[in-house]
Amino acid sequence: MARRWFGCDGLVCTNPTYLEETAHLWTATLIPNGVDVDRFVPGPGDRCAFDLPGDVPIVLMVSAAIASKRVEAGIRAVAQLPDAMLVVAGDGVLRHELDTLGQKLLGSRYRRLTVSADRMPDLYRCADAFLHLSSDESFGNVYVEALVSGLPCVVHDYDLTRWIYDGAATLVDATDESTIVAGLRTALRAGPPTSEIVAAAHARFSWATIADRYREFFQRVLETTAATSEISA
C-alpha cells in the first residue's frame, strides 16, 4: 500500500522505528527534531511568574489532557511522594477528569496550566524533574526540551526514548505505578544531569546541527537521483 500511494526520492524519519519500516523502500535517513538551545537552557526559573511555590520539589508533565499521555498515572504516582508537587502544562478533552483526580489525590500539590510557547523555557527551569508517560510518540519535542533545560527525566521505556536519551534519563514502565514512583524518587534524588550530558544534548539537537544533517542528506539524494537519471538515459 505504501508503494502504491506514496513515493519520494528521499525520506527523513524522526524515529528509529520509522527508519526500520521504510529504509528498504526509499532512500531514508534518521534525523531528530531540533530545539532552540539559546532559549531552552538550564538555570533558575521564576516560579512566582507561574504562581508556584518556591519551597517544594516540582514534577513537570508537558502533555495534552488525552488518554494516550497517561497523565492520570502521573497524578497517582506523584501522590505517593508526600513532599512533591505536580504541574501539568497542557489542555484537552480529559481536563476536567484530570483536575478532579489531581485535586482529590494531591490537593494544593496539583496545578494544571496552559502556557504560551514563549514561556515554556522558563516553566521547564521551574521544575525539579520531568515526567512523560506516553508510549507512542512520532518524536516528542518535550523529551528534548526537558533534557537540554537540564532536568532529570523520567519517561516510558521504549525504542524512541532509548534513542533520544541515550542513557541520560530514568526509563520506566508507564503501566506500572510502582516503577514510576521509584523512577521519580531516583530522579529527584540524583538531581540535574551533568553539564557534560546537557552540552552533548545541546550539540546533538541544536537547529544548527539538524540543519547540517538535512543539508548532507539532501546532497546525497541529489547525487543519487542524478546518478540514477544518467543510468536511465
Side-chain angles (χ1 to χ4, degrees), residues 5-223:
W5 297 110
F6 178 80
C8 64
D9 294 308
L11 181 68
V12 175
C13 303
T14 57
N15 73 47
T17 300
Y18 291 173
L19 182 67
E20 182 179 352
E21 293 174 349
T22 58
H24 66 291
L25 298 175
W26 303 288
T27 299
T29 191
L30 177 61
I31 302 178
N33 288 350
V35 66
D36 186 344
V37 297
D38 293 325
R39 297 177 58 238
F40 291 91
V41 295
D46 183 4
R47 290 191 177 187
C48 291
F50 299 97
D51 194 27
L52 299 174
D55 58 350
V56 298
I58 289 180
V59 176
L60 175 65
M61 297 188 77
V62 182
S63 295
I66 57 178
S68 64
K69 303 298 184 180
R70 301 179 185 269
V71 178
E72 177 183 345
I75 293 172
R76 294 186 183 279
V78 175
Q80 297 190 44
L81 304 176
D83 298 326
M85 178 177 188
L86 177 64
V87 174
V88 178
D91 199 1
V93 295
L94 296 181
R95 67 179 75 85
H96 298 303
E97 292 89 336
L98 295 175
D99 290 350
T100 298
L101 182 65
Q103 291 298 326
K104 176 183 177 181
L105 298 183
L106 289 163
S108 62
R109 295 191 295 123
Y110 171 82
R111 283 284 306 280
R112 187 178 60 81
L113 310 171
T114 52
V115 179
S116 60
D118 62 297
R119 300 184 69 199
M120 282 305 302
D122 195 44
L123 181 60
Y124 279 108
R125 288 189 287 268
C126 290
D128 296 284
F130 171 75
L131 178 65
H132 198 73
L133 299 176
S134 173
S135 61
D136 184 18
E137 300 278 0
S138 58
F139 181 76
N141 287 6
V142 294
Y143 293 132
V144 178
E145 292 171 354
L147 178 59
V148 300
S149 297
L151 290 182
C153 299
V154 180
V155 300
H156 180 63
D157 181 7
Y158 66 122
D159 289 345
L160 177 63
T161 51
R162 290 185 216 116
W163 172 63
I164 287 177
Y165 285 104
D166 193 23
T170 300
L171 304 180
V172 300
D173 179 354
T175 66
D176 185 341
E177 186 175 302
S178 64
T179 67
I180 301 171
V181 174
L184 285 171
R185 285 181 174 143
T186 297
L188 290 169
R189 184 168 55 248
T194 65
S195 58
E196 290 79 10
I197 288 175
V198 174
H202 274 232
R204 181 184 174 197
F205 295 108
S206 73
W207 278 118
T209 299
I210 301 305
D212 283 343
R213 294 190 59 183
Y214 270 93
R215 177 183 53 78
E216 292 167 0
F217 181 62
F218 290 164
Q219 184 63 41
R220 177 157 66 94
V221 170
L222 288 172
E223 291 171 355

